Amino acid sequence: MKISKDKLVFRILGVFLIILITVFCVVPFVLIVTGSMTSQASILRDGYRFVPKEISFEAYKIIFDSPNMLLKAYAVTIGITVIGALLGLFLTSMASYVLVSKDFKYRNHFSFYFYFTTIFGGGLVPWYIMMVKYLKMKNTYTSLVFPLLMNVIYILIMKNFMKSIPDAIFESAKLDGAGDFTIFINLVLPLSKPALATIGLFIALNYWNDWYNAMLFIDKQELYPLQYFLYNILSKLDFINQSASRSGVPVPQMPSEPMKLAMTVVATGPIVLLYPFIQKYFVKGITIGAVKG
Amino acid sequence: MKNKNGILSELQKNKTKFIMLLPAVLYFFIMCYVPMSGIVLAFKNYTYSGGIFGSPWVGFKNFEFFFKSGKAFLVTKNTILYNLAFLIINNTLQITVAIILSELTNKHFKKFTQSLMFLPYFISWVVVGAFIYNLFNYEFGAINTILKSIGWEQIDVYSNPSAWKYILVGVSAWKWVGYGTVLYLAAILGIDPEIYEAADIDGANVFKKIRHITLPSITPTIIVLLLLSLGNIMKGDFQMFYQVVGNNGLVLDATDVIDTYVVRSLMDLQEFGMTAAAGLYQSVLSLLIILGANKLIKVIDNDYALF
């Protein structure tokens, strides 16, 4: 097969650029993994490198020797992720179903009611005071679940998807005497499975990666979700390192550098492992969302 | 009167639907509309016992304090400049990658590279913060290790404010390249293949086809996405700024945006009134910019208008 010269030039440049960007995207992950398997002494002496000079799994050993806090944080995150994603998904799809129903006269008014919240807000302070003072959410699991439960963009994506379900299906169900809620549960939900998977995973990812709400509302360590737990460990180990180097006292006999990275690996592992299987749903969600609703 | 009857009869007819919509309506009422009433705080001296509505009024004192602190101009400037840089660089990169991927024919290569480029989107900003530390740490960060090994001088970004412009722009590009590529690739795949075939027959080369077919075809998408992100220009990617830069006082002037300023004032200083004023200032500016952007969209293509 003959390829014209312009195509050849374009492809060589293009492939080169794509490979370069891909490498940039992957390198930090590789560095974290290799760094977590390097001995503390080697890091302090040789710095972080792609291929560790002295391999050591001490950091992982320390983490898994007393895994209680880590397991607790994992449990909190898994709990809020599952509950939040299921509840959020149910409420989002129920609202979307009503908003695409053609016989619901005020659907545009309500759509605007939701949409307006994306263009104007009261700001962080009134919201924070409401959550803490009036809803008494400080140090509760609810404060981690509630803020990420629903999102206008997901309602829009869901609406876009549900629009593609033919009206005739609802009409015939109505003629058979089915109510709206029955139609929603028995017809709409099964037909929307791909969209449900997509939105469910978007919501789940938000919960899994959340540390911000924990920073605002949680100060009891046993309530920390995984990412905030990681953040705390990282800053604590940083603090130990800094004060040790400032005062000249040798860093305590703890592999603090590889531990930070090992902790990061342990907290990120599940997402990266699941990633190949869930990626396609995110691609679908972005594509549906790009269609104006 | 007629209107009221309309609502009542509608309520009766679609009772189940109203009930099904109720949780979402209540949710956004509590999370968004109730706090909107809290903007009165910007004009009050907040006391815990008084709460939002019982605290004494102070007029424009909070705004005065915010603007006189000298911070207002700095954080506004930083917010706008950073967001403009993100907007231009991220979109250029994403469009370039999408166009290249659409022209390549090896499916496995396309799929493989696209997957890996999408990976950064999935990790939390805390982890990105760990990456940054791992790369840029002065004593043993990976970049400085490489610089040392080839005999160059190490760089200490943590005491060098101007370095953070590049780091933040780079991190943002890195995090979003996969996401945006998916978006633009979808737009490119929507172009009618017959147009390309016709161009092939006319003997157009690859660069000509990109310039005269691909780019003009995705221009509406580009414009709309750009104008949409313009609406967020007063907000920042708070999580990115907070995690990537960390609590580093030395580089604050170069990296402080409205969002970080607001959270810091709230969490560290407990300056409720002044922070609420800064938040209101941000919300109103945002709203004005969105209304302006929407007007602009209407001029370009009415179909894409937001409302």
Side-chain angles (χ1 to χ4, degrees), chain A residues 58-76:
Chain A
E58 208 189 339
Y60 287 98
K61 235 179 261 159
I62 294 181
I63 291 174
F64 289 117
D65 262 353
S66 52
N68 281 345
M69 292 312 288
L70 177 69
L71 289 179
K72 179 80 204 180
Y74 248 104
V76 171

Side-chain angles (χ1 to χ4, degrees), chain B residues 93-103 180-181 184-185 188:
Chain B
L93 185 70
Q94 291 157 6
I95 293 167
T96 311
V97 171
I99 289 177
I100 293 172
L101 284 177
S102 74
E103 294 283 340
T181 300
Y184 283 115
L185 207 50
I188 294 174

